[in-house]
């Protein structure tokens, strides 16, 4: 009898929250054949010892770390196994984060981070779109390292275009984002050929209000406030409980850089349409931009609207 089967672990999809959980959830999806939430039991959803060995093999290939054979038995959820990988996850700190591999029948969807720099909120959208859609998130520089964040929208967009071209040298390109991510996606579209989608997504269609960063524009917190803020995020299950203490300080630095960038943004010429899902983005899109409005509520209609548009 596998002892992991008897553990009282939550069921149902709960999205990954950081690069380590996103990477591990993608491995489980590839191995098991379906998406698994971060608290679902690997063996309880159909995994076996051979599947668990494939997980440890993937860890060895990606991180060069040889985990013990029984590691999945001892840590049978994405959340718990990710605690062992977080110290080795430096290779996951780059801008591009593969959220979902898809079946290769459609071009991938690239979603640019919102103001806080994280791409975890896009995991729920990828899951709702369905496993045949390939989805990449583009996370902010400096969120998981000490690298200095970029501070202008054109500079950010140019760097992200290089990242996208490294994966897809030619189009068609599908781009999107919420908050500053919509502005960056727009600038990326101005630099790329054969862009089929620029999606500006209302942040509340991805995350409910209350993440904490939406009030920072009124009065950004001081360093003494950051431990309390991080504890609040952990209590509300927005970040893992073992995330590094300096994560809050990096988040504030990224957020402030993005605020500066979007405040000074002067949009480049782009003649293609912008598909707006939910409320229009807070930053002003150029008056010359052709906006196609898609009414969405917070009950899961975003994925339906996107799926219909992507075909």
């Amino acid at each position: 009898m596998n002892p992991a089967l008897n553990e009282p672990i939550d069921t149902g999809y709960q999205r990954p929250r950081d690069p380590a959980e996103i990477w591990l959830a993608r491995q489980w999806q590839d191995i098991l054949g379906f998406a698994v939430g971060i608290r679902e039991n690997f063996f309880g959803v159909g995994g076996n010892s051979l599947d668990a060995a494939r997980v440890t093999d993937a860890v060895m290939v990606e991180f060069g770390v040889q985990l013990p054979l029984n590691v999945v038995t001892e840590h049978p959820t994405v959340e718990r196994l990710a605690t062992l990988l977080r110290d080795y996850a430096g290779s996951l700190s780059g801008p591009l984060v593969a959220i979902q591999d898809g079946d290769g029948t459609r071009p991938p969807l690239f979603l640019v981070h919102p103001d806080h720099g994280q791409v975890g909120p896009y995991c729920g959208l990828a899951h709702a779109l369905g496993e045949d859609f390939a989805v990449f998130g583009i996370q902010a520089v400096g969120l998981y390292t000490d690298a200095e964040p970029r501070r202008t929208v054109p500079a950010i967009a140019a760097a992200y275009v290089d990242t996208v071209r490294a994966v897809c040298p030619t189009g068609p390109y599908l781009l999107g984002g919420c908050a500053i991510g919509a502005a960056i996606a727009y600038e990326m579209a101005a630099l790329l050929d054969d862009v089929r989608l620029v999606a500006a997504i209302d942040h509340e269609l991805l995350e409910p209000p209350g993440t904490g960063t939406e009030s920072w524009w009124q009065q950004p917190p001081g360093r003494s406030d950051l431990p309390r803020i991080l504890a609040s995020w952990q209590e509300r299950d927005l970040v893992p409980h073992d995330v590094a203490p300096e994560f809050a300080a990096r988040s504030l630095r990224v957020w402030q850089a993005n605020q500066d960038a979007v405040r000074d943004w002067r949009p480049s010429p782009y003649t293609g349409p912008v598909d707006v899902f939910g409320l229009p983005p807070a930053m002003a899109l150029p008056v010359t931009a052709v906006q196609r409005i898609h009414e969405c509520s917070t009950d899961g209609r975003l994925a339906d609207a996107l799926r219909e548009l992507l075909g």
Side-chain angles (χ1 to χ4, degrees):
M1 177 69 69
N2 189 332
L5 284 173
N6 299 320
E7 292 197 14
I9 297 174
D10 293 344
T11 60
Y13 183 80
Q14 293 166 298
R15 71 165 178 85
R17 299 161 295 181
D18 77 338
E21 291 183 348
I22 292 171
W23 181 87
L24 195 52
R26 185 166 59 89
Q27 306 311 308
W28 286 29
Q29 181 173 353
D30 289 346
I31 291 167
L32 297 174
F34 51 87
V36 177
I38 62 171
R39 297 195 177 101
E40 292 185 82
N41 188 305
F42 184 81
F43 300 99
V45 296
N48 55 44
S49 58
L50 291 177
D51 294 329
R54 293 174 65 190
V55 173
T56 58
D57 287 347
V59 170
M60 182 63 186
V61 170
E62 178 68 27
F63 305 108
V65 177
Q66 184 63 67
L67 297 177
L69 292 177
N70 67 340
V71 70
V72 181
T73 301
E74 298 296 326
H75 301 79
T77 67
V78 165
E79 179 181 46
R80 287 173 53 179
L81 189 53
T83 63
L84 304 183
L85 302 180
R86 212 157 266 123
D87 289 341
Y88 307 103
S91 62
L92 306 178
S93 61
L96 198 65
V97 179
I99 295 174
Q100 189 165 273
D101 291 334
D103 62 6
T105 61
R106 298 174 177 85
L109 173 62
F110 294 92
L111 296 171
V112 185
H113 60 80
D115 293 3
H116 55 52
Q118 302 174 55
V119 297
Y122 296 129
C123 293
L125 174 58
H127 178 255
L129 277 174
E131 296 160 9
D132 48 340
F133 287 87
V135 179
F136 288 90
I138 304 179
Q139 67 188 2
V141 172
L143 190 61
Y144 295 102
T145 71
D146 292 329
E148 188 66 25
R150 297 180 179 88
R151 295 184 178 275
T152 71
V153 172
I156 298 170
Y160 293 173
V161 161
D162 290 342
T163 297
V164 167
R165 281 180 171 150
V167 177
C168 295
T170 60
Y173 294 107
L174 308 177
L175 310 172
C178 63
I180 191 176
I184 297 170
Y186 177 95
E187 283 293 321
M188 291 171 67
L191 297 173
L192 289 165
D193 296 322
D194 196 10
V195 175
R196 302 286 178 86
L197 173 71
V198 178
I201 302 170
D202 179 5
H203 192 276
E204 291 191 10
L205 296 178
L206 299 168
E207 287 187 302
T211 60
T213 58
E214 65 271 6
S215 63
W216 284 3
W217 68 272
Q218 297 173 322
Q219 184 175 358
R223 294 194 67 86
S224 61
D225 298 320
L226 296 179
R228 174 184 55 79
I229 289 170
L230 180 59
S232 174
W233 290 347
Q234 292 168 329
E235 182 180 351
R236 286 179 285 166
D237 209 19
L238 299 173
V239 299
H241 282 272
D242 65 327
V243 71
E246 60 268 22
F247 179 76
R250 288 173 175 165
S251 296
L252 177 59
R253 183 179 61 168
V254 164
W255 177 88
Q256 186 63 66
N258 286 331
Q259 295 301 298
D260 294 343
V262 80
R263 183 190 62 234
D264 298 333
W265 179 43
R266 299 296 181 267
S268 300
Y270 174 66
T271 58
V274 177
D275 287 279
V276 178
F277 296 87
L279 296 176
M283 83 289 298
L285 291 171
V287 294
T288 56
V290 178
Q291 297 187 38
R292 300 188 298 201
I293 308 298
H294 305 265
E295 294 185 4
C296 297
S297 59
T298 56
D299 59 0
R301 299 289 178 85
L302 172 60
D304 294 337
L306 258 177
R307 195 183 302 110
E308 181 177 347
L309 190 63
L310 297 177

